[in-house]
Amino acid sequence: MIDAPGPRGFALALGGGAALGWAHIGVLRVLERAGVPVAAAAGTSIGALAAVCLAADRLDALEAIARGATRTGMLRYLDPHLGRGAWLGGRRIARELTRQLGDRRLESLRLPVATVAADLDTGDEVRLTSGPAVAAVTASMALPGIFAPVEIGGRVLIDGGMVAAVPVAAARALAPASPVIAVDLMGDYAGHVRSVATHGPRRAVTTVRSAFLMMIRQQTRAMLALAAPEILITIPAGHRSTADFHRAAELIALGEAAAEAALPAISAMLPVQEAGTS
């Protein structure tokens, strides 16, 4: 088992990436099996979902949902929304979150947690560390144009990936004395390019996706240069789409492999427990 620096452990920064977020489950399982202590968790978008499920001891439920996801099954979470501002209402997703998390509040969970959203009116990063967990997760996952913005405390909030795709600064703020392990779901641009090259001429949708990934990668690089984590785990999932919710088994395995590869670096940061100590 890996010992913690004092009583705290590591702070986790779990990045956004829609379906690629199933890889977070694999990462968290490896850390759990290795006995890596976690002091706090910050998450953006689906990373917020993973962080809250970890802190609420609902990781098993999240994994069951992920592994049970199919192309057609995911359609039951999509409720067309005829109002202004979004194509989907997000009500079915909110109901499932409520079924899993109930009325839990962020401040009552077993770990300090922050979900990262963006203020649509100011463009600021917003870190939610208290209040209803379901609202905090749905705000962080409110992809612009797809899901309606979520109003919390008088602020109109959208997906945190717009301002902090990998929330290292938020994780460090939760546990300033702890080293940060960051998980980047969308940093494998080279893998994306290789995948595109195998499918012949680029289509318009492929070009748009490439440009989006390029933008996110550059934003993330800039943010990590300002607030570098002690450990960065980049998931090699560039060949997969952010809509591949039905590929949970593969994505979880990718997360496991990436975390296993990072364990020596994690171990090197901390002393190994002596036999008979706790």
Side-chain angles (χ1 to χ4, degrees):
M1 180 180 290
I2 298 174
D3 196 12
R8 301 191 64 82
F10 287 88
L12 305 182
L14 306 181
L20 305 184
W22 294 150
H24 284 316
I25 297 170
V27 171
L28 295 175
R29 290 303 193 194
V30 168
L31 298 182
E32 180 181 66
R33 290 195 295 266
V36 175
V38 175
T44 292
S45 196
I46 197 159
L49 175 61
V52 169
C53 285
L54 174 68
D57 293 318
R58 298 299 292 164
L59 192 58
D60 287 348
L62 180 62
E63 183 169 356
I65 291 171
R67 291 190 182 277
T70 62
R71 284 182 184 272
T72 54
M74 291 305 297
L75 295 177
R76 68 189 179 94
Y77 292 110
L78 306 182
D79 50 337
H81 182 59
L82 300 180
R84 295 178 296 175
W87 292 333
L88 302 175
R91 293 179 295 273
R92 293 176 184 172
I93 292 176
R95 283 198 294 270
E96 179 62 26
L97 288 173
T98 300
R99 191 171 76 85
Q100 297 298 334
L101 299 172
D103 59 357
R104 288 181 174 90
R105 297 177 65 85
L106 295 181
E107 65 269 29
S108 71
L109 302 181
R110 69 177 179 86
L111 294 173
V113 174
T115 70
V116 175
D119 188 317
L120 188 58
D121 293 326
T122 67
D124 293 335
E125 176 183 336
V126 177
R127 301 169 187 171
L128 300 170
T129 58
S130 63
V134 171
V137 171
T138 53
S140 186
M141 295 175 63
L143 192 64
I146 305 298
F147 296 111
V150 176
E151 186 172 338
I152 296 178
R155 307 184 83 165
V156 180
L157 304 179
I158 61 172
D159 193 299
M162 302 300 106
V163 290
V166 182
V168 174
R172 184 155 284 132
L174 286 174
S178 298
V180 175
I181 299 174
V183 182
D184 183 2
L185 300 175
M186 301 179 69
D188 183 25
Y189 188 76
H192 166 72
V193 171
R194 288 193 299 271
S195 177
V196 169
T198 66
H199 291 85
R202 292 179 186 265
R203 297 177 297 160
V205 66
T206 306
T207 300
V208 170
R209 180 171 177 246
S210 296
F212 175 73
L213 289 174
M214 186 187 306
M215 177 184 69
I216 293 295
R217 184 187 66 158
Q218 292 301 105
Q219 178 216 74
T220 301
R221 280 183 171 181
M223 294 196 72
L224 294 181
L226 294 173
E230 281 68 27
I231 302 290
L232 175 63
I233 299 174
T234 300
I235 306 300
H239 62 296
R240 287 295 166 222
S241 166
T242 53
D244 280 347
F245 286 99
H246 60 293
R247 298 188 181 276
E250 177 188 349
L251 290 164
I252 291 171
L254 288 174
E256 288 177 327
E260 290 281 0
L263 280 180
I266 295 172
S267 300
M269 294 184 60
L270 302 170
V272 178
Q273 280 189 315
E274 296 180 2
T277 64
S278 59

